[in-house]
Amino acid sequence: MEKQVVIIGLGRFGTSACKELHRLGHEILAIDTDEERVMGVSDHSTQALVANGTDENVLKSLGVRNFDHAIVAIGDNLQSSVLCTLMLKEMGVTNVWVKARDLQHQKILERVGADRVIQPEHEMGIRIAHHMDSEKIIDYIDLSAEYSIVELVASKKVAEKTLRELDIRTRYNCTILAIKRGEDVNIVPLPEDEIRLKDVLVIIGHKEDLKRFEDKGL
């Protein structure tokens, strides 16, 4: 379903989000005070404008109140991002996602109504740490303080065994969401499906259970 998204701030984070959302077929209004940055996304947005995204009159004149989604990507400027978030919520924008520079910034943004706060450097740092911690981990997604999704490479220990034989849900309290084999992805695999060496297992569970499966079961 096509969404209307306004993106305020076109640094690396905002520009990446803009280009990918546009590629996915969404209607994008991109705003920044820097003309060069705006020109950089002119072919990757529905409309790209040089404008001050922290000016309430500007936002109103652009019809931002008619958008259901907004990304505020001016995280380096705490005051501006908080002000912009507050104005967007007061205008009735349903989903406002905001980039934060640190935990204190995140807490302030949550208090003024941000629907989701992203700390790109923090989140990427966690993923990199998990990659470095184990050569078995291909990717890592934090769902909460306790739960995660990981992509693990199947070892000889689990190869040529079915999901029923492994029974990791009972033994480790984890669930295999998918099996990736080259370009093929088996979504919601069946108990009879067999794992092959070097398959990538997409698994959800409590962080301690996932670590236990990685160390003892894989």
Side-chain angles (χ1 to χ4, degrees):
M1 182 179 177
E2 180 182 308
K3 295 180 173 68
Q4 290 184 312
V5 185
V6 56
I7 298 177
I8 300 170
L10 297 170
R12 284 177 294 181
F13 177 75
T15 295
S16 296
C18 178
K19 290 181 176 180
E20 187 65 10
L21 284 167
H22 183 260
R23 187 188 69 79
L24 291 169
H26 300 294
E27 185 179 332
I28 308 297
L29 170 61
I31 300 171
D32 199 285
T33 54
D34 187 302
E35 184 176 359
E36 187 175 341
R37 289 180 175 181
V38 171
M39 290 296 294
V41 300
S42 59
D43 293 333
H44 305 279
S45 59
T46 311
Q47 188 176 19
L49 298 171
V50 178
N52 183 359
T54 61
D55 187 320
E56 186 174 5
N57 292 326
V58 168
L59 295 178
K60 286 180 177 178
S61 69
L62 294 174
V64 168
R65 67 177 67 220
N66 297 317
F67 284 70
D68 290 326
H69 303 270
I71 295 175
V72 180
I74 46 178
D76 294 335
N77 189 323
L78 188 151
Q79 184 175 338
S80 294
S81 68
V82 170
L83 178 62
C84 187
T85 302
L86 188 58
M87 289 189 297
L88 290 168
K89 294 308 296 183
E90 288 179 346
M91 288 180 193
V93 179
T94 306
N95 297 292
V96 179
W97 293 20
V98 193
K99 176 189 173 186
R101 67 187 187 191
D102 53 38
L103 183 59
Q104 182 183 17
H105 190 183
Q106 177 176 338
K107 288 180 178 178
I108 295 171
L109 289 166
E110 288 172 344
R111 286 175 186 169
V112 299
D115 297 285
R116 179 170 176 182
V117 181
I118 305 107
Q119 291 187 56
E121 291 84 1
H122 173 73
E123 293 176 14
M124 183 53 72
I126 290 174
R127 293 175 75 175
I128 291 297
H130 280 272
H131 283 293
M132 188 170 287
D133 176 62
S134 173
E135 60 186 21
K136 298 175 184 177
I137 293 180
I138 300 296
D139 204 356
Y140 177 94
I141 301 172
D142 237 350
L143 295 179
S144 69
E146 296 182 339
Y147 292 90
S148 301
I149 295 176
V150 295
E151 292 187 359
L152 297 168
V153 180
S155 65
K156 291 181 180 178
K157 193 171 181 178
V158 298
E160 299 181 11
K161 293 182 179 178
T162 66
L163 297 188
R164 177 177 282 116
E165 288 173 322
L166 291 174
D167 196 18
I168 74 164
R169 181 175 291 182
T170 300
R171 296 172 63 193
Y172 297 98
N173 200 29
C174 300
T175 301
I176 295 180
L177 301 176
I179 301 173
K180 297 163 71 173
R181 185 172 297 154
E183 297 297 319
D184 297 326
V185 181
N186 181 357
I187 303 295
V188 191
L190 300 172
E192 296 76 23
D193 289 337
E194 186 177 274
I195 294 172
R196 296 180 188 172
L197 185 66
K198 298 296 178 70
D199 278 354
V200 175
L201 310 178
V202 183
I203 309 173
I204 187 172
H206 192 284
K207 292 177 181 180
E208 292 181 1
D209 293 328
L210 289 168
K211 185 65 175 174
R212 192 161 54 90
F213 171 65
E214 179 191 338
D215 292 340
K216 298 181 180 180
L218 197 60

